[in-house]
Amino acid sequence: MKRSGKVFLVAALVVVVCMAFRVSWNALRDVARAIGADETAANFYPFVIDGLMALALIATLVLVGRDRQFALKVLGGYTVASLVLNYVHGLVPALHEPVGMVRLADWDGAHYALVFIATSLPVGAIFFGSDLVAKVLHHRPTAETVRTPDGQEPAPAPHTPAHPAQTPAFDRAEPSVPAPVLEPSAQVTERAGAVRESDPHTLRTPDEETPEELLHREQFEEAELERMRQDARRAYVESAQAGRPLSARALGEAFGMSESWGRKQILAVRDDEDASRPRLRAVEPAAV
């Protein structure tokens, strides 16, 4: 449908709703007077009933799923209630004149039921209207489907077959069969071992290292540890000279070591200081 046709349809619906509201407004106003409402409340009473019906109608167009069903139930319930009150207004001639409170039915049970319906509709409008507005405000629309003209099929997504029947047979799910495990031949294994031995960057396990390589690695690790000790001692000396000597725990944590390791470095610094400090000897006076 073209945009102009939709606009005309919506405009026609609004006109029909306004005319129906004007007809229903007269009956609902008179019923409100019959149950004791004053002139102002009676004039607002139709807006409460038919206004909630309009709100429920809008909610049915926005909401989906259970929320939409709830809005339809509210719309249907208030439509039936408005229909009953309009029907009573047509049956009771006394309601057509503003004479104050009037019985809505001769039978007491029917009268009490009609009064209950008429008086509970405004309270229900507050409750259901608030719930519908909250549902509409918290509604998150899902991704809309692509609409195509009538008689045409939507274009398939790229790399996707247009119909399931066009799916190749090899794309269908089939029970997976474990592939046979091929054992490498002796020639391939021998050649791979030769390549691994000739590559200097190949990682070797401690069992594969030669004695020379093992000695070289141990010497390198020891040199790295000694360099770390010297750096730690130098850091402690600088902190002591600055007036804020590091504690054993802080020194160990600074170099990723334990507190006992830091204490050993501090003691080593103090031993070096004691060794480099000159010692004074007491000289006995010579006998005269």
Side-chain angles (χ1 to χ4, degrees), residues 53-286:
M53 293 170 58
L55 177 62
L57 177 60
I58 296 174
T60 56
L61 301 177
V62 176
L63 301 175
V64 294
R66 294 183 177 179
D67 294 339
R68 184 173 182 271
Q69 295 179 359
F70 174 77
L72 286 173
K73 291 179 181 179
V74 174
L75 177 60
Y78 269 72
T79 301
V80 173
S82 179
L83 174 63
V84 171
L85 296 181
N86 278 269
Y87 178 72
V88 172
H89 181 266
L91 289 179
V92 182
L95 295 176
H96 303 169
E97 299 179 0
V99 293
M101 297 185 64
V102 179
R103 289 183 61 88
L104 301 180
D106 294 335
W107 181 45
D108 291 340
H111 172 69
Y112 295 149
L114 292 173
V115 172
F116 176 77
I117 293 174
T119 53
S120 61
L121 288 179
V123 180
I126 298 174
F127 175 78
F128 293 118
S130 302
D131 194 13
L132 288 176
V133 170
K135 291 181 183 298
V136 171
L137 294 179
H138 289 84
H139 174 65
R140 294 293 181 270
T142 57
E144 297 183 356
T145 56
V146 179
R147 299 181 180 179
T148 57
D150 297 338
Q152 298 182 6
E153 295 183 359
H159 308 291
T160 304
H163 299 282
Q166 300 178 1
T167 306
F170 56 81
D171 289 342
R172 298 176 182 174
E174 294 182 356
S176 59
V177 179
V181 180
L182 300 178
E183 296 292 341
S185 61
Q187 182 178 2
V188 174
T189 305
E190 182 179 357
R191 180 174 298 180
V195 172
R196 192 182 302 109
E197 291 177 358
S198 61
D199 188 4
H201 300 286
T202 303
L203 296 177
R204 298 181 178 180
T205 61
D207 297 338
E208 297 178 355
E209 291 181 348
T210 61
E212 292 78 7
E213 293 176 346
L214 182 59
L215 178 61
H216 178 71
R217 182 169 60 83
E218 292 178 353
Q219 291 176 352
F220 176 78
E221 292 177 356
E222 182 62 27
E224 288 295 322
L225 290 176
E226 183 61 25
R227 183 181 61 80
M228 185 184 298
R229 296 190 194 100
Q230 296 299 329
D231 292 342
R233 295 171 186 177
R234 190 179 304 108
Y236 176 76
V237 171
E238 292 176 356
S239 65
Q241 292 175 354
R244 295 189 300 270
L246 295 173
S247 62
R249 182 176 182 180
L251 185 62
E253 291 179 353
F255 288 86
M257 305 298 285
S258 62
E259 181 179 357
S260 60
W261 183 87
R263 186 178 297 106
K264 291 179 181 179
Q265 308 315 313
I266 294 175
L267 293 177
V269 171
R270 293 176 181 176
D271 292 341
D272 293 341
E273 291 178 353
D274 293 341
S276 61
R277 186 178 303 167
R279 298 182 180 180
L280 300 177
R281 291 184 178 180
V283 180
E284 297 181 359

